[in-house]
Amino acid sequence: VAALATQHPEHAGLIAAYLSHVGLDHRAVDVYRQVVKAAPLTTEAYAQGLAAAQRAEDASGIRWATIGILQQAWPKEQEAVQAAALRSAKALLDQYRETGETELMAQYQQELDAALIRDCVVKVSWSGEADVDLLVEDPTGEVCSLQQPRTLGGGVCLGDAYASYDQPSADGFSETYVCPQGFTGDYRVRVRKVWGELVAGKVTVDVYRNYRSKNEQHERQFITVGDD
């Protein structure tokens, strides 16, 4: 299976799904681990692995899957994946606490905190009857936007649903870009008004580096956005 996962991760994923179907969830989790190891961008394997680990009551598998999920950023249509991982992580922490496994609990909490750190977060917020697009070009030249919400560089455009990445402006709208682990180099942020009128003709751009870490850096700018 390891060789298959390396050459054809999608086929290995089908084998894992079949193992779960016949009640072999423990083995399915092992296969999902191999799929992700061979193809790190196969992020769905973490979600499928979490479901299998929960059915098998496999604490090690749950720990692996939740960390893997929370290390990723997820588009709006997949936000339920992250929510499920957070619920599972809390349940496992509670289990460690109830069983007196304080060392495991502390280690897992440390892993969760590290998993939630983001190299870069860009949030554009605005007020007014208007729609604004956020586009972020990474050092490879790939552009992340709502039209292409996930890039090979790890960036994800989250839209309005993740306004909690910062305190949103009162009665405003926002779009957010998140890159958990970015490439070294320059990131170009483009802000484009699609239609309507912005209050004061400006948007607020918040840029975070090392978000949620001890070395977090925050920069805020107010950018004029014209009709062009």
Side-chain angles (χ1 to χ4, degrees):
V1 174
L4 180 64
T6 300
Q7 298 176 9
H8 302 286
E10 69 281 3
H11 294 167
L14 291 175
I15 291 174
Y18 174 76
L19 290 171
S20 285
H21 180 71
V22 298
L24 299 175
D25 283 308
H26 274 290
R27 293 184 62 185
V29 173
D30 291 338
V31 176
Y32 284 126
R33 285 178 183 260
Q34 293 172 18
V35 169
V36 172
K37 185 176 181 179
L41 293 178
T42 314
T43 53
E44 292 77 9
Y46 284 118
Q48 295 159 343
L50 176 58
Q54 288 174 319
R55 289 191 295 268
E57 298 182 353
D58 178 358
S60 174
I62 291 172
R63 189 166 169 169
W64 162 78
T66 51
I67 294 299
I69 289 171
L70 296 176
Q71 283 176 335
Q72 314 290 325
W74 298 85
K76 182 178 179 179
E77 63 272 15
Q78 293 180 301
E79 61 187 27
V81 175
Q82 180 168 305
L86 288 170
R87 289 194 300 270
S88 297
K90 182 180 183 304
L92 186 54
L93 286 171
D94 289 342
Q95 177 183 318
Y96 285 148
R97 185 179 297 106
E98 291 170 3
T99 55
E101 298 174 276
T102 55
E103 187 174 340
L104 274 177
M105 182 180 72
Q107 184 181 22
Y108 183 39
Q109 183 66 67
Q110 188 175 11
E111 292 172 348
L112 290 170
D113 292 341
L116 290 169
I117 292 174
R118 302 296 185 244
D119 278 359
C120 179
V121 175
V122 179
K123 178 184 173 185
V124 174
S125 55
W126 67 94
S127 297
E129 295 295 325
D131 184 28
V132 171
D133 277 351
L134 167 65
L135 304 92
V136 180
E137 180 181 341
D138 68 27
T140 71
E142 195 171 13
V143 177
C144 188
S145 67
L146 286 180
Q147 287 68 46
Q148 186 180 357
R150 186 189 290 277
T151 62
L152 294 177
V156 173
C157 193
L158 302 176
D160 294 343
Y162 281 74
S164 59
Y165 271 99
D166 182 30
Q167 297 174 356
S169 59
D171 302 320
F173 303 93
S174 66
E175 285 192 12
T176 304
Y177 165 86
V178 178
C179 188
Q181 295 180 326
F183 291 114
T184 299
D186 294 332
Y187 286 73
R188 185 189 300 271
V189 179
R190 302 175 182 171
V191 181
R192 179 176 61 198
K193 186 173 73 170
V194 180
W195 57 265
E197 295 297 327
L198 298 165
V199 173
K202 294 184 177 182
V203 298
T204 303
V205 181
D206 288 288
V207 178
Y208 296 85
R209 283 179 270 186
N210 302 314
Y211 181 74
R212 287 200 182 102
S213 78
K214 294 179 180 179
N215 301 317
E216 178 178 307
Q217 296 176 327
H218 175 220
E219 177 183 357
R220 170 172 288 182
Q221 294 189 28
F222 300 96
I223 305 296
T224 299
V225 180
D227 292 333
D228 58 356

